[in-house]
Amino acid sequence: MTAAVRCQGIVQIYKTRDLEVVALRDVDLAVEEGETVALLGPSGAGKSTLLCLMAGLLRPSAGRLWLHGTEVSRLPQAALDRLRAAEIGVVLQNPARNLIPYATPAQNVAFAQRGRRADRRRIAELLERVGLAGVRRPAGGLSGGEQQRLAVAVALANRPRLLLADEPTSQLDAASGRAVIALPRATAAEHGTTVVAVTHDEAVSRALGRTVTIRDGRVGAEGRRGEELVVVGREGALQLPPEYHHLLPPGSRVRVEPLEDGVALRRAEP
Ligand SMILES: Nc1ncnc2c1ncn2[C@@H]1O[C@H](COP(=O)(O)OP(=O)(O)O)[C@@H](O)[C@H]1O
Ligand SMILES: [Mg+2]
């Protein structure tokens, strides 16, 4: 089966006037079609950067990225734009950036169906499911939470194969957060949509099938069904889970002892 997303050795460097920031270093990750993934990790870890790369909004500085088998890191811009319009729904971190401020919620969803005839039933159903049925104020006048809910409806307007969302519930209370995340989940279940969502919200990450934790620009850990596993990176690099940092603080010298099914790490006396 072709993965929905495959990242191989992805590096992302932002160059500003007088310094370079390495936001991602050697990210290897595959997301299978129909999977629902929560991207976790501390602020500044590189989560938004990874999501923008998957959305085709950024080109990686190095490494290769495939979406549904097409290598997008090498695709000409026009072909990338077509692929994005046809296959990807994106909810950016700042909800207002996803919306046309002077258009109503229904017009925003209709506009996102560009290239197709507006599907009135679909528009009404999406707005109903995010609790905005009958709201006719322009998007610019909606609250942050309402804008966030509308942004999810807009991202799903075209029935994308891949939904990418950056903290889609950050401005919602727990109940509307659950309602908003229920929509992509239902879409995933009904249409096999792949969902990748950056989130700090435990209820959201529990609702998704798999967690991927980004730390310091790398995939540090992965979880499924509540079990969190550390991922061995290139050259054998490991990120200790934060709860063990006091046992092996940074700078510790460690003896690596082979076991039958792995290794043990023991602090050597200085
Ligand atoms: N446009 C940019 N220019 C320069 N540095 C950036 C830019 N965007 C993000 N960064 C830096 O890249 C790193 C990762 O950022 P980001 O992907 O936004 O992390 P997260 O979403 O996990 O908080 C951070 O150090 C951040 O300051
Ligand atoms: Mg971010």
Side-chain angles (χ1 to χ4, degrees):
M1 196 167 79
T2 348
V5 182
R6 182 176 299 282
C7 303
Q8 192 183 79
I10 293 280
V11 176
Q12 183 62 38
I13 300 170
Y14 293 109
K15 294 191 172 71
T16 58
R17 203 150 45 91
D18 42 20
L19 87 168
E20 291 190 348
V21 180
V22 183
L24 296 174
R25 47 194 111 211
D26 277 332
V27 171
D28 295 318
L29 180 67
V31 177
E32 300 304 329
E33 259 193 272
E35 263 195 307
T36 58
V37 178
L39 272 189
L40 313 177
S43 173
K47 306 179 295 296
S48 295
T49 301
L50 185 55
L51 207 79
C52 285
L53 286 165
M54 292 178 180
L57 297 168
L58 265 182
R59 302 266 188 169
S61 309
R64 302 172 73 184
L65 177 73
W66 292 263
L67 294 176
H68 304 118
T70 302
E71 183 165 5
V72 294
S73 38
R74 302 195 175 169
L75 215 55
Q77 192 59 45
L80 178 58
D81 291 344
R82 273 197 305 277
L83 182 145
R84 282 182 43 213
E87 298 192 354
I88 305 175
V90 183
V91 181
L92 296 170
Q93 192 160 1
N94 174 355
R97 280 187 57 203
N98 302 288
L99 306 173
I100 306 164
Y102 49 80
T104 65
Q107 288 167 339
N108 266 279
V109 179
F111 185 75
Q113 293 176 332
R114 65 190 171 271
R116 304 180 179 200
R117 266 217 346 244
D119 178 346
R120 297 277 149 212
R121 276 244 313 274
R122 174 88 177 145
I123 295 171
E125 183 205 327
L126 283 169
L127 291 176
E128 175 79 37
R129 290 174 85 165
V130 296
L132 291 173
V135 176
R136 293 196 172 78
R137 275 170 293 143
L142 302 177
S143 72
E146 287 170 326
Q147 289 184 342
Q148 224 160 23
R149 288 185 271 143
L150 179 54
V152 173
V154 164
L156 288 171
N158 246 348
R159 300 186 193 278
R161 282 172 87 184
L162 174 63
L163 175 72
L164 301 166
D166 201 345
E167 307 202 24
T169 63
S170 60
Q171 301 191 24
L172 300 174
D173 58 68
S176 34
R178 273 196 300 278
V180 158
I181 210 65
L183 178 56
R185 264 182 79 192
T187 315
E190 290 161 29
H191 305 289
T193 311
T194 311
V195 179
V196 180
V198 175
T199 186
H200 290 289
D201 186 337
E202 275 212 23
V204 172
S205 65
R206 265 200 309 274
L208 303 177
R210 172 181 171 200
T211 62
V212 172
T213 303
I214 309 291
R215 284 200 192 95
D216 196 25
R218 296 184 177 91
V219 176
E222 283 201 37
R224 278 180 227 248
R225 293 176 287 277
E227 191 187 16
E228 186 83 349
L229 302 174
V230 171
V231 176
V232 180
R234 300 201 167 199
E235 317 252 345
L238 282 180
Q239 290 183 342
L240 285 185
E243 61 268 33
Y244 299 130
H245 285 187
H246 69 288
L247 293 173
L248 290 175
S252 301
R253 292 337 187 235
V254 168
R255 278 203 186 85
V256 182
E257 297 172 4
L259 305 171
E260 221 161 85
D261 54 353
V263 296
L265 303 177
R266 290 183 207 285
R267 192 165 69 215
E269 292 316 311

